[in-house]
Every structure is written in structure tokens, then in C-alpha cells.
Amino acid sequence: MKIEPKDPLQASTQNSTETTQSRPTLRTVFLDRDGVINRKMPEGQYVTSWQHFDLLPGVPEAIARLNQAGLRVLVVTNQRGVALGLYTAADVDAMHTKLQRVLSVSDAHVDGFYFCPHDKHQCNCRKPLPGLFEQAKKQFPEIEPATSLVIGDSLSDIEFGHNLGLQTIFLEGDESHRQHQKPGASKAADLADRRFPSLPDAVDYLLA
Ligand SMILES: [Mg+2]
Ligand SMILES: [Zn+2]
């Protein structure tokens, strides 16, 4: 059965005759990777291989629920570690292949992976710049900002979504995570449409 989440980020007006400002149905969810799908490494450290890919609790099930709801699930991730020579683009692809295999155990899948391998100020695809959205749109021309949402744990994710006109959800992490959040976290929390501790919490809300 296909669930069609309506106006996911609008306070639902019980009275359906109130039709003003209703948003189109959500179709595409852009997920940041590190800090959303897998545990983020301490600031300045990178997930260089599958060995360091620590899947966060409940994430495969949360992605499976998005899949079952008929939503397109895309991963958009800045991987500056490639530009720094810490790992290669092929290593990133290999991690994503492995991730896809692990997700499949929970009947979950990602419809597309897009990553920026560049250093700062060298490209148009390092979030918050829009290049990764454009790459996704090239593969799925039906993607529209008005029916898309980004979920991330950094200001760059929220600015990426905000600049493109996507809805935005900021993941604040749990109590312990919040204590060593990077600069920009409070700005991201303010700018985002919604805030939740984790991806499963955000999905609970979206599919409620
Ligand atoms: Mg992140
Ligand atoms: Zn780039």
C-alpha cells in the first residue's frame, strides 16, 4: 500500500476546506550521509573506509519506511577527504555499494548517491552549493524543489536546502552529541523548518 504523505511540514489543518498554502506532496528526500545515516567522526576526521562506517540505530528501518511510502531517497554528501588524499572516489563508491547491500537486508535502498570529492571553493557541488541537486535532477528530471526535502546535521545541509527552496530538517543528535556540535549548529537549527534528534524521529514525523 502506498502512503502519500500530505503537507509533511505544514501544521495539518483539521479542516480540509482550508486550502490556502498547501504544499504539494513530498516525493524526494535528500539525506546527508555522515551524522544522518552513519555516526559522524570527530570534527576533522573522515570516514575513510567501511571499517569506520558506523550505521546509526534504526536507520535501515527508517529508510525502508521512506521506500515503502513511495518516496525517492537520495544521498548527498560532501567528501572533502578525497581532495585531501585520505581516500579515493572509488573508496566512496565501494562504501556506498556496501551500504546498499547492508540496507537490502532490511528491505531498504537508496535510489542515488551523489558526493562532492572537492576541497572548499573549487566547485559547484560542495554543499551548500547546488551541484549535487543538479546532478540528481539530471538523473531524475521529475525532481522539483517544492516536492523535495533535505535532512542533514550541518549548516551546509540546511543552507543547501534553503537556497534551493527545499524543505529542511535539521538533526540535532542526542544529548551527548549536542555538547560537541560544530559552529553553525544553532544557526542551522534556526534556519531549518523542523528539528529532530535522529533520522528515525524525522521519518516518524513525515509519515505520521
Ligand atoms: Mg553530516
Ligand atoms: Zn564538488
Side-chain angles (χ1 to χ4, degrees), residues 1 8 11 18 30 38-39 44 55 63-64 76-77 81 101 112 116 118 126 137 140 159 162 165 167 170 172 184 186:
M1 188 183 76
E18 241 176 87
F30 288 90
N38 54 292
R39 201 172 297 282
L55 212 54
I63 293 177
V76 284
T77 175
R101 213 172 302 149
C116 166
H118 307 115
R126 184 173 164 81
K137 173 111 178 142
F140 301 101
E159 287 181 336
H162 192 74
Q167 298 170 68
F170 180 61
E172 304 180 289
S186 64

Side-chain angles (χ1 to χ4, degrees), residues 115-119 122-126 132:
F115 66 92
C116 166
H118 307 115
D119 209 336
Q122 292 189 346
C123 66
N124 184 45
C125 62
R126 184 173 164 81
L132 296 182

Side-chain angles (χ1 to χ4, degrees), residues 32 34 153-154 157:
D32 172 46
D34 303 331
D153 71 326
S154 294
D157 301 316

